[in-house]
Amino acid sequence: MYRKGKLYFRYGTMGSAKTALLLTTAYNFEERGIEYLCMKPVIDTREAKNVIRSRIGIERECRWIYHDTNLYDLVKDIYRETGKVIEWFLVDEAQFLTEAQVDQLSRVVDDFGSNVVCYGLRTDFKTHLFEGSRRLFEIADTIDEIKSTCNCGHKTIVNARIDANGDFVEEGAQVEIGGDDRYVAVCRKCWRNKRIEQSSRGTLPFFDEETACETDNMEKTIEKL
């Protein structure tokens, strides 16, 4: 194969319109007659069928990627069956890919000359890199950030997990599928301040004995006056 392809990683926080961008790209390819295939890890169980759906309401069918799917073999089988090389692969929720699967996608780029665009999160609710994201940062040809804004006006960085009261959750499994009811994207400063606020709740104020005595003496003086 003498075609030149690239491995792209486009990342952003939750709510940054990553999926909408993927679906818009797929629509443009379809309008121009460009061969493409949408894919998505099956770990995202919010959908009962194999679709990629954006929060703004648009959707498109996709091919599931299972934990043991060999993506290089998958593309090779498609080529054998159709005799065509797919020009573009669009992968949603790429943070859930395994390291091996990212490597397999890089082989698809190098051997078939296809372009692979991976859309996903950079880090989890504890600000730690996902396995798939880490590998994409290591070997992707092009890395782009899809930016969004925190309520305070700063750029969002953290995908904070929240409970029913809106408090940040700091413990739990790395993967827990959910939408606006479970996650909120915030900047690092707001994430830190909220955690400090939560940790200080229920803490008794520090009792300063010397200050208390001075206050008591002052009150007695006032009574004499």
Side-chain angles (χ1 to χ4, degrees):
M1 296 288 180
Y2 295 98
R3 296 152 47 93
K4 291 184 178 180
K6 279 188 175 183
L7 175 61
Y8 300 81
F9 182 35
R10 294 176 178 164
Y11 72 93
T13 54
M14 298 187 72
S16 59
K18 300 181 300 300
T19 300
L21 180 59
L22 180 155
L23 294 172
T24 302
T25 301
Y27 175 80
N28 289 333
F29 287 162
E30 191 170 289
E31 288 289 294
R32 294 160 57 190
I34 297 174
E35 294 283 344
Y36 75 94
L37 178 64
C38 294
M39 300 190 292
K40 177 182 176 181
V42 75
I43 192 170
D44 186 348
T45 56
R46 284 173 292 182
E47 302 297 341
K49 58 181 181 178
N50 54 320
V51 297
I52 294 173
R53 178 178 286 118
S54 169
R55 297 185 184 198
I56 64 176
I58 56 177
E59 65 179 52
R60 188 169 291 266
E61 287 189 9
C62 67
R63 181 172 295 214
W64 286 135
I65 299 174
Y66 297 92
H67 189 73
D68 59 351
T69 299
N70 185 309
L71 294 173
Y72 184 81
D73 288 346
L74 173 64
V75 174
K76 188 166 57 175
D77 290 342
I78 292 174
Y79 176 70
R80 286 173 178 169
E81 292 171 7
T82 65
K84 296 180 180 180
V85 174
I86 295 177
E87 296 183 54
W88 291 85
F89 291 92
L90 306 177
V91 184
D92 195 29
E93 304 287 7
Q95 72 272 8
F96 295 140
L97 297 172
T98 66
E99 180 176 331
Q101 287 171 332
V102 175
D103 288 340
Q104 291 157 13
L105 289 175
S106 71
R107 286 190 62 198
V108 170
V109 172
D110 297 340
D111 294 355
F112 289 91
S114 300
N115 293 286
V116 177
V117 190
C118 295
Y119 297 82
L121 302 175
R122 177 175 62 174
T123 57
D124 62 18
F125 73 106
K126 295 182 181 179
T127 68
H128 299 156
L129 286 168
F130 285 96
E131 178 182 347
S133 304
R134 179 185 295 108
R135 191 58 179 155
L136 283 163
F137 274 118
E138 292 169 344
I139 67 171
D141 298 298
T142 300
I143 299 172
D144 300 310
E145 182 179 14
I146 303 171
K147 298 178 181 179
S148 61
T149 305
C150 179
N151 288 336
C152 72
H154 289 95
K155 183 181 72 172
T156 58
I157 293 179
V158 182
N159 300 296
R161 184 180 294 171
I162 58 176
D163 60 20
N165 298 317
D167 289 332
F168 290 172
V169 177
E170 299 187 36
E171 298 297 332
Q174 183 183 53
V175 178
E176 182 177 319
I177 304 302
D180 294 338
D181 60 326
R182 292 297 291 143
Y183 292 94
V184 59
V186 294
C187 70
R188 184 179 57 250
K189 184 176 181 181
C190 287
W191 179 66
R192 176 178 177 272
N193 289 344
K194 179 71 171 179
R195 294 168 70 213
I196 292 174
E197 175 200 329
Q198 289 178 196
S199 64
S200 64
R201 290 178 192 166
T203 303
L204 292 175
F206 181 73
F207 181 76
D208 188 332
E209 186 175 351
E210 182 177 347
T211 301
C213 289
E214 290 178 356
T215 301
D216 186 51
N217 291 333
M218 184 178 295
E219 289 176 350
K220 289 179 180 179
T221 302
I222 293 174
E223 289 177 359
K224 291 179 181 179
L225 295 175

